[in-house]
Amino acid sequence: MKEILPNEVAALLKENSTINIIDVREVDEVKTGKIPNAMHIPLGLVEFRMQDLEKSQEYIMVCRSGGRSARAAKLLEDHGYKVMNMMGGMNEWEGPIE
């Protein structure tokens, strides 16, 4: 599985690169703030929502510390999706939140 550092994600956002971020934390966790324009799909629903995603696009998976997003990334990768896991999760995120 590919991995990406939070500062690399922040740099992509700053460049206005078109990136697809999926936050797999629970609803109450996301209420504290998420990366701007990140799609929220709780980990337990990823399996049921994967058909809403495009296999031609790459997705960056995010959670609180990187563990749940790694599980989500593995699941999607096993189904043919291009994904990266943001190491350290929101605990390491220093960029903007919404």
Side-chain angles (χ1 to χ4, degrees):
M1 161 188 348
K2 287 185 186 175
E3 296 179 319
I4 189 168
L5 295 169
N7 63 332
E8 294 171 319
V9 175
L12 289 172
L13 279 177
K14 202 171 187 179
E15 293 169 6
N16 292 320
S17 295
T18 303
I19 59 172
N20 301 296
I21 300 171
I22 300 176
D23 192 321
V24 299
R25 294 176 298 157
E26 296 300 319
V27 173
D28 58 325
E29 293 175 289
V30 171
K31 284 180 185 174
T32 65
K34 66 179 181 64
I35 297 171
N37 300 316
M39 196 183 328
H40 177 227
I41 305 175
L43 178 60
L45 299 179
V46 170
E47 183 177 358
F48 306 103
R49 297 273 310 275
M50 71 172 73
Q51 73 276 0
D52 299 337
L53 307 176
E54 298 290 329
K55 286 190 176 179
S56 61
Q57 297 181 19
E58 188 163 51
Y59 297 92
I60 298 171
M61 310 306 290
V62 177
C63 69
R64 183 178 52 83
S65 62
R68 286 176 285 176
S69 55
R71 291 202 310 267
K74 173 94 173 84
L75 173 71
L76 290 172
E77 197 172 65
D78 288 349
H79 285 87
Y81 292 88
K82 293 183 265 185
V83 294
M84 289 190 282
N85 183 40
M86 188 174 91
M87 296 169 39
M90 292 302 287
N91 285 344
E92 302 292 324
W93 180 252
E94 295 178 357
I97 58 170
E98 63 177 19

